[in-house]
Amino acid sequence: MERSEIPRVREQRWDPGFHRGRIPDYDPMHDRHCGVYQAMVARGERPRPARRGASTGVDRPRSQGAQAVATRRAAGKRTASAVAEAENPEKVEQMARQVEEHIEHCWETFKVPQHHRELYRAKYFNGIFHPKVLLQEAEALAHDYAAVLVVMRSIASREAALARLRLLEKVFSEGSMPLSRVQSELVDVLLALRSVSLEVVESIVRWRHVVLPARGVKGPASSVQWFENGENYLI
């Protein structure tokens, strides 16, 4: 075939301007891919439309919506089964004992004060609360955001600021630092001390809400204080 004839052949097989015209009508009787349909029509049978969702012999992926519903149903069944198993009184009590031992171990590791341990045991280690509550405390201890650890950290920061202030006083009395620098250092220390003191008060207030006796349980709220070296730290 000569090169000059190639464009003419393409013109016969493909209409490059099809998008500018009318979409032709479709007739399955003239479609070579519809042999089964044409045979049924020839036999006088009436083709029935395929039912929605019917099997066609090809495994088609379900839509995302259907998959999401199936996933939620399966998860719901697993959750319901786990809850039913966990709500068994014996297993609940066993779980509570295990979590309590873990919390005690964390207290030893972080050197948590005894007064917090006594208050927490009195409120939570008596079977009133679900083990999930204890699990939340164990997680908070593991990730360093438990209320008691926040108080300890805040107090340590305040004590460091007080130690810095005492050191600055000693340096000033000895005259080993220029007055201008002493004044600048004093302003920085006092600002830091004010900030950490506020953090201490706020953290102790949050801690008290954690260890205050539960509603309906007798217990002196006035004894829920943070003691440092045997004294109420807020006084």
Side-chain angles (χ1 to χ4, degrees):
M1 182 181 295
E2 297 182 0
R3 293 184 179 180
S4 60
E5 296 180 3
I6 294 177
R8 190 178 308 137
V9 174
R10 288 180 178 172
E11 291 261 343
Q12 294 175 358
R13 295 184 179 180
W14 176 256
D15 181 10
F18 73 95
H19 59 283
R20 295 193 296 267
R22 176 178 173 274
I23 299 177
D25 296 330
Y26 174 73
D27 186 359
M29 297 302 295
H30 296 86
D31 190 341
R32 62 187 180 89
H33 299 288
C34 297
V36 176
Y37 176 83
Q38 295 167 7
M40 293 178 66
V41 172
R43 292 194 301 267
E45 300 178 7
R46 183 179 179 182
R48 293 178 299 175
R51 291 181 292 107
R52 186 176 183 180
S55 174
T56 59
V58 180
D59 294 334
R60 297 182 178 179
R62 290 184 294 181
S63 65
Q64 293 183 357
Q67 290 179 346
V69 171
T71 302
R72 285 196 295 270
R73 288 177 179 174
K77 291 180 181 179
R78 290 194 298 268
T79 303
S81 176
V83 170
E85 182 179 356
E87 291 302 328
N88 185 309
E90 295 181 359
K91 292 190 175 182
V92 169
E93 184 177 358
Q94 181 181 3
M95 182 188 300
R97 300 288 84 79
Q98 292 175 350
V99 181
E100 288 173 6
E101 292 177 1
H102 177 71
I103 292 176
E104 294 273 3
H105 177 72
C106 291
W107 288 344
E108 290 293 334
T109 302
F110 296 118
K111 295 180 172 51
V112 172
Q114 287 296 330
H115 63 272
H116 168 80
R117 305 186 191 191
E118 295 172 0
L119 291 170
Y120 196 92
R121 289 192 196 103
K123 180 176 181 178
Y124 294 99
F125 289 7
N126 49 24
I128 297 178
F129 292 90
H130 194 275
K132 291 180 180 178
V133 178
L134 302 178
L135 284 172
Q136 292 175 357
E137 178 67 12
E139 183 178 1
L141 287 168
H143 292 84
D144 202 31
Y145 63 85
V148 61
L149 298 183
V150 175
V151 175
M152 294 170 61
R153 190 161 53 246
S154 301
I155 290 178
S157 298
R158 185 175 185 273
E159 291 299 317
L162 288 173
R164 184 182 170 192
L165 182 61
R166 288 190 289 268
L167 178 61
L168 188 60
E169 179 185 7
K170 180 180 179 181
V171 170
F172 174 73
S173 62
E174 294 175 351
S176 57
M177 181 183 294
L179 180 60
S180 59
R181 185 175 177 184
V182 171
Q183 293 175 341
S184 177
E185 290 285 339
L186 179 61
V187 171
D188 291 342
V189 172
L190 292 178
L191 290 175
L193 183 60
R194 183 181 67 174
S195 177
V196 294
S197 297
L198 290 175
E199 291 178 4
V200 167
V201 175
E202 293 173 354
S203 62
I204 290 179
V205 170
R206 289 192 294 268
W207 167 79
R208 292 187 76 237
H209 284 293
V210 173
V211 297
L212 275 173
R215 184 175 299 178
V217 178
K218 294 183 179 180
S222 59
S223 64
V224 184
Q225 307 295 339
W226 186 274
F227 293 96
E228 198 76 17
N229 298 323
E231 298 182 356
N232 186 349
Y233 193 78
L234 294 181
I235 298 179

